[in-house]
Amino acid sequence: MIFSTKQIFLQSQASLVAGQLVEAFDELTLYETERVETIVSQLEIAAGTNVVITNKDGDVLYDPLRIYGYFPLTQYSINSALEEHSMYENDFFFSYFFEGIFSSTAITPVVSRGVPIGAVYFHEDDSIQGSLLLEMQETIRNISVIVAVSSIVLVTLILVSVMRRVSSIMNAVKTVREGEYSYMVDMSGRDELAVLGDEFNSLTERLKETEEVRRRFVADASHELRTPLAAIRLLADSILQNEDIDRETVQEFIGDIGAEAERLTRMTGELMALTKLDSHAPIQLTRVDMKETVEATLRMLRPLAHSRGISLSYDISEGCYIRATDDSVHQVIFNLIENAIKYNQPDGSVFVRLSIADEDKVVFEVKDRGMGVPDEDLPHIFDRFYRVDKARSREAGGSGLGLSIVRDTVRRLGGKVSVRKRQSGGTVFTVMFKRIKDEP
């Protein structure tokens, strides 16, 4: 701003003097010194400015302060202005700030009929503007120091606060790593660390639930395995300790031992299936026709239904293709239909439906008129080792793992499984998968 103001001011003064000289002279010579002084003295020259007028040869015609010979820059600048004018026809101006003084110089050639006949040199040393600049520099320097110190203090406080909160999270991680899954971190605020603290607490809560599920699973599995093992041991001891036992009773006991052994085999197989599902091992999915799997499963379970007096009906649609494996789909369908047959009323019925919904979903339903599920048991029916009627479940040979396998298998295949009560009695299990195109 100062530079621009000085340039406009000094160049206007120099142009004013040059214009008056052009009107009065066709050529500037040493003989016109007095006339030049008279003309300049009649003009309103701003106080504090130094004026030098020369002809085209550099001879000084006006220099009241005798600065032309004192400052070598003056002569060089005027000569440069004359050369610049002859080349570019521009006025010459420069300015600099040094030791608190703002020095500005403007040189304008005196041009008559397109030919330079001399030059007007204006120079000003402005200490007031220089003092203003120094004060501004000092103010900016002070403000910068204050801002820098404040920033350092603020950043230090922020870092201390962040490090304290990070340390709190790290201590929480160490505590949870040592097995204290109930530990929660208290992280207030709405920043990223607060979000991280909430996520950590959520993860800790899930770890706690997982640990509880694991412990309960181990306890339940131990209990379930202990029951058939105790029965086998009791039957075996009865045979060994009773010397007078008849052959028919021995055969009956051995048959019971075989049944318990078969139950153990079935239970361990289901436990292995659950372990495989929990491991999330990669599986190779293929195109599976659910219609074929449902029909094959119905043929396999029809004798069981007939032996229990259960009527088995179905409604199966074409084009029910999904992305899965044959074994996994068979396991889901088999478990649901087998449960519907086993836990049914005498002379009950089971209805199986396979249909397409919304053109992109395959829906598999199993409806029975069995003993049903109480409302309080519905949320837990897919939990491992959970039984609605434990006595009847054991009598039917159930392990409490079938529906858990169904749920985990369906989820792994990207589907959904649900259960609801029928108004007329019994339950309805619904499995939904994403349908793929008929083409392989």
Side-chain angles (χ1 to χ4, degrees), residues 36-188:
V36 170
E37 292 180 359
T38 301
I39 292 173
V40 174
S41 62
Q42 294 176 353
L43 299 176
E44 295 182 358
I45 304 298
T49 56
N50 303 322
V51 183
V52 177
I53 299 175
T54 67
N55 59 15
K56 64 179 180 180
D57 297 324
D59 299 325
V60 178
L61 304 182
Y62 182 82
D63 184 11
L65 299 179
R66 303 291 188 269
I67 64 173
Y68 184 78
Y70 187 76
F71 293 108
L73 182 60
T74 305
Q75 182 176 357
Y76 173 78
S77 301
I78 292 176
N79 294 334
S80 299
L82 291 173
E83 293 177 0
E84 289 286 335
H85 177 80
S86 63
M87 296 173 61
Y88 306 109
E89 297 185 358
N90 285 328
D91 293 344
F92 185 84
F93 178 83
F94 67 91
S95 181
Y96 63 92
F97 178 70
F98 181 71
E99 292 185 353
I101 298 177
F102 200 96
S103 299
S104 305
T105 299
I107 304 174
T108 298
V110 181
V111 182
S112 177
R113 300 174 184 177
V115 178
I117 61 175
V120 178
Y121 172 95
F122 265 77
H123 178 80
E124 181 187 54
D125 291 330
D126 193 343
S127 59
I128 297 177
Q129 295 288 352
S131 299
L132 177 61
L133 285 177
L134 290 177
E135 291 177 1
M136 291 177 61
Q137 289 179 351
E138 184 67 21
T139 302
I140 293 174
R141 185 182 299 109
N142 294 336
I143 293 175
S144 300
V145 171
I146 294 173
V147 171
V149 173
S150 301
S151 300
I152 293 173
V153 173
L154 181 60
V155 170
T156 302
L157 293 176
I158 293 175
L159 287 177
V160 170
S161 175
V162 171
M163 291 306 299
R164 182 166 57 248
R165 301 173 75 190
V166 171
S167 298
S168 176
I169 295 178
M170 293 302 298
N171 292 333
V173 171
K174 293 179 181 178
T175 303
V176 173
R177 186 175 58 188
E178 294 173 357
E180 188 63 34
Y181 298 124
S182 60
Y183 186 85
M184 295 290 177
V185 61
D186 184 13
M187 195 66 60
S188 59

Side-chain angles (χ1 to χ4, degrees), residues 221-282:
S222 301
H223 176 74
E224 295 296 330
L225 292 174
R226 188 184 304 116
T227 301
L229 287 174
I232 292 174
R233 181 176 180 179
L234 178 62
L235 292 170
D237 289 343
S238 298
I239 294 174
L240 293 175
Q241 293 176 5
N242 192 347
E243 299 179 356
D244 300 329
I245 189 170
D246 58 279
R247 182 177 180 82
E248 183 178 351
T249 304
V250 171
Q251 290 180 346
E252 181 182 353
F253 282 5
I254 292 177
D256 292 339
I257 291 174
E260 294 297 331
E262 183 180 354
R263 182 180 171 190
L264 274 176
T265 302
R266 184 168 58 253
M267 189 179 300
T268 53
E270 291 175 343
L271 287 173
M272 290 298 296
L274 283 174
T275 303
K276 186 176 180 181
L277 289 173
D278 290 340
S279 66
H280 299 288

